[in-house]
Amino acid sequence: MCNKRDCFSCDKQRFLKITAVQKYKINSIKRKVKRMIRHLSILFVAFVAMSIPAISQDQLAVKTNLLYGIPALTPNLAVEYGVGPKTSLELFGSYNGWKVNGSETSNKKLAHWLVEPAFRYWFCERFNGHFTGIHTMYGEYNISGHDIPLFFNGKIHKEYRYQGNTIGVGISYGYNLILNRRFNLEFEVGAGYNHLKYDKFECRKCGEKMSSETKNYFGPTKAAITLVYLIK
């Protein structure tokens, strides 16, 4: 048996060890995010550079998804540009950093970030009328206090906290409505596959990890009502 001083010393060493492991995991995630953002930025700049002739002749658009951004309080922005008379490329990104660390009374949060490149084919002409597309996505999340049954096969409950990442691919169909010379309103729905990997914690704000799980999801992956600003 150990005396009180020995027990206190053991508890302190255990706490310092857990804290060091948590810091290492956080720093590892930050390094991965920075590398991914750097690689995506290089690819995006390179592609834009190769597409300068097309951009100078055709339209370029910036847009925001109102259906996603307003209810989820998530700032989001997309850039889309034409690479052919009936084709375009889009790069969408979003970030929700509200209450990442929680508060004293509640840890309810929907913290996440998402990157989504897409290719589109327009049936009439770019930025006008019906279109279809293919998209890929990658994102990371830290969720608690929310019930999200769709992507997690009914397993996400607001009593727990979930932290992980998702990667997926899907197809979409939409319609771009011309409002005036500069503004359009775009409607789009999509479906596809997502692979989710996450850790589940026994309570929202504290507690040890209960499990590490993976899910393969097939179903809706996109719903958008998007305000579009056209740059001539």
Side-chain angles (χ1 to χ4, degrees):
M1 295 179 64
C2 62
N3 56 39
K4 291 183 178 180
R5 181 176 298 176
D6 291 335
C7 291
F8 176 79
S9 178
C10 291
D11 291 340
K12 182 178 180 181
Q13 291 178 3
R14 191 179 300 111
F15 173 78
L16 292 175
K17 183 177 180 180
I18 293 173
T19 303
V21 171
Q22 290 176 338
K23 287 183 178 180
Y24 175 80
K25 289 182 178 180
I26 292 173
N27 290 333
S28 178
I29 292 172
K30 287 182 178 179
R31 287 194 296 269
K32 289 180 181 179
V33 171
K34 288 180 180 179
R35 284 198 299 268
M36 178 173 297
I37 293 174
R38 184 168 60 250
H39 293 161
L40 288 172
S41 299
I42 292 172
L43 289 173
F44 180 70
V45 170
F47 198 92
V48 170
M50 291 186 294
S51 305
I52 287 176
I55 295 175
S56 62
Q57 297 170 7
D58 303 315
Q59 292 176 328
L60 175 69
V62 293
K63 51 176 67 175
T64 184
N65 184 350
L66 305 177
L67 184 62
Y68 165 46
I70 295 176
L73 298 177
T74 302
N76 65 89
L77 185 69
V79 178
E80 184 176 3
Y81 52 90
V83 294
K86 293 187 176 183
T87 56
S88 63
L89 286 174
E90 180 187 76
L91 182 63
F92 172 88
S94 65
Y95 177 72
N96 184 324
W98 313 122
K99 297 183 179 179
V100 173
N101 298 320
S103 65
E104 293 297 328
T105 58
S106 172
N107 197 34
K108 185 175 182 180
K109 58 188 172 184
L110 193 62
H112 68 279
W113 65 267
L114 177 70
V115 175
E116 185 178 291
F119 172 82
R120 288 177 169 181
Y121 175 80
W122 299 79
F123 293 100
C124 181
E125 60 181 357
R126 267 192 328 275
F127 307 112
N128 182 17
H130 299 272
F131 65 88
T132 186
I134 181 171
H135 58 272
T136 61
M137 67 192 76
Y138 179 83
E140 296 185 349
Y141 49 86
N142 189 345
I143 301 171
S144 65
H146 292 272
D147 288 320
I148 308 179
L150 183 61
F151 283 100
F152 297 89
N153 298 328
K155 298 297 180 64
I156 286 287
H157 299 292
K158 61 184 179 181
E159 291 81 10
Y160 304 102
R161 184 172 70 85
Y162 303 83
Q163 185 170 352
N165 60 69
T166 179
I167 185 170
V169 62
I171 58 175
S172 63
Y173 173 82
Y175 183 82
N176 201 307
L177 176 66
I178 297 176
L179 300 179
N180 56 37
R181 184 169 176 266
R182 294 291 186 182
F183 287 96
N184 289 4
L185 192 61
E186 184 177 281
F187 305 88
E188 184 180 15
V189 293
Y193 164 78
N194 276 79
H195 176 76
L196 301 108
K197 182 179 179 181
Y198 58 91
D199 296 329
K200 179 180 178 180
F201 296 84
E202 62 184 11
C203 64
R204 299 187 206 171
K205 197 171 181 63
C206 58
E208 296 182 359
K209 183 172 70 175
M210 297 178 63
S211 62
S212 294
E213 303 179 16
T214 60
K215 297 294 179 184
N216 293 307
Y217 165 81
F218 295 89
T221 56
K222 176 181 282 192
I225 299 177
T226 302
L227 182 64
V228 182
Y229 178 74
L230 297 172
I231 303 174
K232 302 293 184 177

